[in-house]
Amino acid sequence: MAALKSLTAAGHGKVAAILPDTTSSTRYVEFDAPDLKKAAAAAGLPSSDMIVQNALGSDSTFVTDAESDITNGATVLLIDPEDSGTGVTVQRYAKAHGVAVIDYDRLTLGAPKGTADYVSFNNVRVGQLIGSGFVSCVQQWKVSKPQVVVMHGAVTDNNATLFAQGYNGVLSPYFSSGKYKLVAKTAGTWTPTDALTEFEGAYTAHHNINSAVIPNDETGAPIISYLQSHGVKPKTFPTTGQDATLTGLQNVLAGYQCGTVYKPIYLESQAAVALAMYLRAGKPAPASLVNATSTDPTNGNTVPSVLETPEWVTPANMNSTIVKDNFVPTSQLCSGKYASDCKAAGIS
């Protein structure tokens, strides 16, 4: 990051990252926070100039943190609010104080034009990988008449909308042709217990369900446990996920989940810090970094974007992706009953 280090001298002010919570996911504690700090250090940003905070699921805390950071000298904010209303509030405040904003991981909907850039993964592609991974799995596991429940993330999260756009686009021809039957769709949530309740309702009402498109490892985990408690055997009931969590990867190895979408968070964090360094220095970021645009569906605004590439992970490529990147330590991945699954996948 030598080129970014040269921007340190030209820049001024602090970079503050405000993450959403620790109540529903460990991602922000285990990956985003440390990865952002590592990326900032590699770019030459003094530790005193990089602030990483967690709002613990509180919208009011999120706004207060942003206001406090700006008061204390932040000139760039990286924000990942749980809802767009909070994000818009922060973006308006930041703009009024001459502070640049980066939407980190999810796009803030309804924001005034030109108030933020956006760093994430190609989330439509995430959904397409879920859909195509499901199709491949149905074939490999020889599910002759797929009776499918399609699940959705939280309806307030634009990422969930983009994921669904991706997997619905892949699966639509299979449903319309009659090759697959769409038995049920759920309302949508990122809360694992609520996702289980949604699935139980569909499964109870439709005992013919034999597969599920699930957009997240964490919401899929209790569903897989539920299926196991009902005697479902490995490689008979395709399910999907994303985020490459430890539990999700183990479910993939054990044959209860077709695969998971791996999003190398360290790349997202590096991209966010790189963009922040340019904004901090008041210089335009190169097209090699800002490689796309995103459209806000609520107002049609075009948002300059950095979109990283996700990857579908199965036992066949887990060793060359997750293990190679040390995303999850093999000592945890292959512990206990999963040791034999790891051995079968060539993971040691």
Side-chain angles (χ1 to χ4, degrees):
M1 290 192 177
L4 293 181
K5 288 184 179 180
S6 68
L7 291 172
T8 304
H12 66 281
K14 299 178 181 180
V15 176
I18 310 172
L19 306 177
D21 70 354
T22 57
T23 58
S24 62
S25 173
T26 59
R27 165 183 166 165
Y28 298 99
V29 174
E30 293 184 1
F31 296 103
D32 290 280
D35 284 348
L36 286 166
K37 292 176 181 177
K38 288 177 185 176
L45 192 67
S47 59
S48 58
D49 284 354
M50 183 70 194
I51 305 167
V52 180
Q53 296 165 300
N54 198 308
L56 299 173
S58 169
D59 292 341
S60 60
T61 300
F62 198 99
V63 174
T64 300
D65 284 346
E67 293 174 348
S68 176
D69 291 336
I70 291 172
T71 299
N72 291 323
T75 55
V76 182
L77 293 182
L78 279 68
I79 65 170
D80 186 12
E82 287 193 307
D83 69 88
S84 287
T86 301
V88 170
T89 297
V90 170
Q91 288 193 25
R92 289 185 185 278
Y93 186 87
K95 183 177 182 180
H97 290 77
V99 172
V101 176
I102 298 171
D103 280 339
Y104 178 77
D105 199 56
R106 59 166 66 88
L107 184 66
T108 295
L109 303 182
K113 187 175 180 61
T115 55
D117 293 338
Y118 175 47
V119 176
S120 188
F121 286 85
N122 183 329
N123 290 310
V124 173
R125 181 60 182 157
V126 170
Q128 290 170 340
L129 290 173
I130 290 172
S132 60
F134 179 82
V135 171
S136 296
C137 188
V138 164
Q139 295 171 346
Q140 292 169 6
W141 292 4
K142 297 180 171 56
V143 180
S144 59
K145 296 181 180 179
Q147 309 290 306
V148 190
V149 55
V150 176
M151 306 192 72
H152 197 286
V155 295
T156 56
D157 183 354
N158 189 57
N159 280 2
T161 300
L162 297 175
F163 301 152
Q165 178 183 332
Y167 55 73
N168 287 334
V170 171
L171 296 174
S172 179
Y174 291 87
F175 292 135
S176 60
S177 69
K179 190 170 185 178
Y180 296 178
K181 182 176 180 180
L182 176 58
V183 179
K185 281 188 173 183
T186 62
T189 180
W190 286 137
T191 304
T193 52
D194 293 344
L196 176 59
T197 298
E198 289 184 345
F199 179 83
E200 286 178 329
Y203 194 66
T204 300
H206 306 281
H207 290 293
N208 60 326
I209 288 174
N210 62 7
S211 52
V213 177
I214 306 171
N216 185 268
D217 290 354
E218 290 191 343
T219 53
I223 293 170
I224 289 172
S225 295
Y226 173 83
L227 292 171
Q228 291 171 334
S229 72
H230 284 70
V232 172
K233 303 300 182 184
K235 297 186 178 181
T236 61
F237 194 114
T239 70
T240 58
Q242 64 146 327
D243 278 347
T245 66
L246 173 61
T247 300
L249 291 165
Q250 289 175 333
N251 281 330
V252 171
L253 287 169
Y256 284 97
Q257 186 172 314
C258 300
T260 181
V261 179
Y262 172 43
K263 298 184 292 187
I265 298 169
Y266 69 92
L267 294 179
E268 185 180 21
S269 298
Q270 288 171 1
V273 168
L275 181 56
M277 294 292 282
Y278 280 99
L279 295 175
R280 179 175 179 264
K283 297 181 178 294
S288 58
L289 177 60
V290 182
N291 59 1
T293 59
S294 301
T295 301
D296 184 336
T298 66
N299 56 23
N301 287 343
T302 298
V303 183
S305 304
V306 181
L307 301 182
E308 299 292 341
T309 303
E311 186 169 3
W312 182 247
V313 170
T314 69
N317 67 342
M318 199 175 291
N319 205 26
S320 62
T321 53
I322 302 295
V323 174
K324 179 183 176 184
D325 290 351
N326 196 32
F327 191 74
V328 173
T330 54
S331 60
Q332 296 179 25
L333 180 65
C334 301
S335 63
K337 63 182 180 180
Y338 299 103
S340 58
D341 297 317
C342 280
K343 185 176 180 180
I347 300 170
S348 58

